Amino acid sequence: MDDSMKLSAEARLRRLLRVFAETGGDGPRTRAFDNLPADSRAHLLEYAALTADELPVIAYFGSPVHWVLITTDRIVMGRQAGLLSMPWADLENATTDTAHVHAAFASGAGGKLSLSRLRLQRRDAEDMEFEVEAGPAFFGLWNVLKTIASLRKE
């Protein structure tokens, strides 16, 4: 069992929600799970198939086939090609593509607030990239993912 799992699910939930609120907070489609519309929460719970001791924390809900759910144990993604699930222990780091950053700053339309693409660097597998909503919620989500990677290493 990795060190991040020494914290209770409730403690992990509180810590991640605090990081999210302090570094970005809710956006139109990226929110603390409990702040999502009821139909979005129901869809995520149905498709993510949480375990008995796993709690939903934060989600981006772009559409029924394009979403990301961070739980107290995993990062789950709904994509056109199907469901992807990654345990916290596999997350090495969360970054954004350098070309994406340069394009965001070159566009002049919002600069860093127009960033919307995150890359999850996995320990023993290919990186995973996904698109989420731009703006402050993007940075909250990114910081939550970086926190998960650092918790795993503590």
Side-chain angles (χ1 to χ4, degrees):
M1 179 182 280
D2 67 45
D3 289 345
S4 65
M5 297 304 151
K6 290 179 183 171
L7 294 172
S8 71
E10 290 79 14
R12 293 191 301 269
L13 172 85
R14 285 191 305 273
R15 185 167 183 175
L16 295 182
L17 286 176
R18 187 179 66 246
V19 168
F20 183 67
E22 290 173 355
T23 61
D26 286 355
R29 291 176 283 154
T30 306
R31 300 182 182 179
F33 183 81
D34 289 344
N35 295 343
L36 286 168
D39 58 336
S40 298
R41 288 194 315 265
H43 180 86
L44 293 172
L45 290 174
E46 178 182 347
Y47 285 90
L50 304 185
T51 63
D53 57 348
E54 183 178 23
L55 301 172
V57 183
I58 297 160
Y60 161 75
F61 193 83
S63 74
V65 294
H66 183 72
W67 51 267
V68 177
L69 175 63
I70 297 174
T71 75
T72 51
D73 296 324
R74 302 178 289 151
I75 300 143
V76 188
M77 287 181 241
R79 305 169 94 163
Q80 195 73 44
L83 197 69
L84 287 174
S85 177
M86 178 176 72
W88 279 22
D90 289 354
L91 182 61
E92 189 65 37
N93 196 10
T95 65
T96 190
D97 182 72
T98 307
H100 180 59
V101 173
H102 290 305
F105 282 103
S107 74
K112 73 178 189 176
L113 288 178
S114 65
L115 292 173
S116 62
R117 195 173 313 139
L118 285 168
R119 174 180 288 154
L120 301 182
Q121 296 175 331
R122 299 193 290 175
R123 287 197 333 189
D124 299 317
E126 205 173 298
D127 289 358
M128 295 170 25
E129 271 197 13
F130 58 92
E131 194 88 21
V132 294
E133 97 183 74
F138 170 85
F139 289 95
L141 187 62
W142 189 0
N143 279 289
V144 163
L145 292 166
K146 288 187 138 329
T147 298
I148 290 169
S150 69
L151 280 173
R152 187 188 62 72
K153 295 172 188 170
E154 283 180 359

